Amino acid sequence: MINCFVVNTLGTLSRQEIVIRDEILTGRGYVTISTNDENGSLLTLTSTPAALATGSGRISLFVLNRGQTLVQATWSGQDLLVWQRVNENVTLTTAPSCALIAPGRADCFARGSDNPMWNAFGDIVQATGALR
């Protein structure tokens, strides 16, 4: 089974399970995933999500919100996620591109509004780290 994540036209995140059987792909329909932050506020998402398989049944998601700042959540089979802001002080202009650099550690890159490439890194379970 493959889980595909997309930001829909309402600015929320949707997930589709895709099953591969006998070399045939079958989608099971879209499920909307919660986009509330740690304060309970609804986030509007604006970029393509970056998804990293971070463990058995765990996918860390990184995406820009309406304020063009990076937010992160980890999906582990439940569609009720709490999104955490990685850094509210940096405005980004491109969708994040992320890579797993070690178990539980990610590097994300995106272009800033001042034009240089910014790098967010850190522990993806707690969404810590710095944006520089």
Side-chain angles (χ1 to χ4, degrees):
M1 177 177 20
I2 298 170
N3 284 288
C4 180
F5 297 88
V6 297
V7 172
N8 59 38
T9 57
L10 300 175
T12 59
L13 194 71
S14 294
R15 177 183 58 81
Q16 182 179 38
E17 285 184 4
I18 300 172
V19 177
I20 305 169
R21 190 172 295 130
D22 299 324
E23 299 182 15
I24 297 173
L25 299 175
T26 306
R28 294 190 177 175
Y30 285 97
V31 175
T32 299
I33 295 177
S34 75
T35 52
N36 291 340
D37 68 10
E38 61 271 14
N39 300 319
S41 300
L42 183 65
L43 295 174
T44 300
L45 306 178
T46 60
S47 75
T48 302
L52 298 174
T54 55
S56 180
R58 296 174 55 88
I59 299 172
S60 289
L61 303 162
F62 299 86
V63 66
L64 299 183
N65 66 11
R66 183 186 316 202
Q68 295 300 99
T69 59
L70 188 64
V71 294
Q72 182 268 331
T74 298
W75 180 83
S76 57
Q78 302 294 320
D79 293 325
L80 182 60
L81 302 180
V82 176
W83 291 83
Q84 298 174 328
R85 288 173 173 83
V86 175
N87 189 315
E88 295 183 55
N89 300 321
V90 177
T91 301
L92 302 171
T93 60
T94 61
S97 179
C98 302
L100 197 61
I101 58 171
R105 305 270 306 165
D107 252 339
C108 292
F109 297 88
R111 185 163 306 282
S113 60
D114 52 356
N115 214 27
M117 188 66 66
W118 285 82
N119 172 225
F121 61 93
D123 181 344
I124 55 180
V125 176
Q126 284 84 29
T128 60
L131 194 63
R132 57 180 179 185

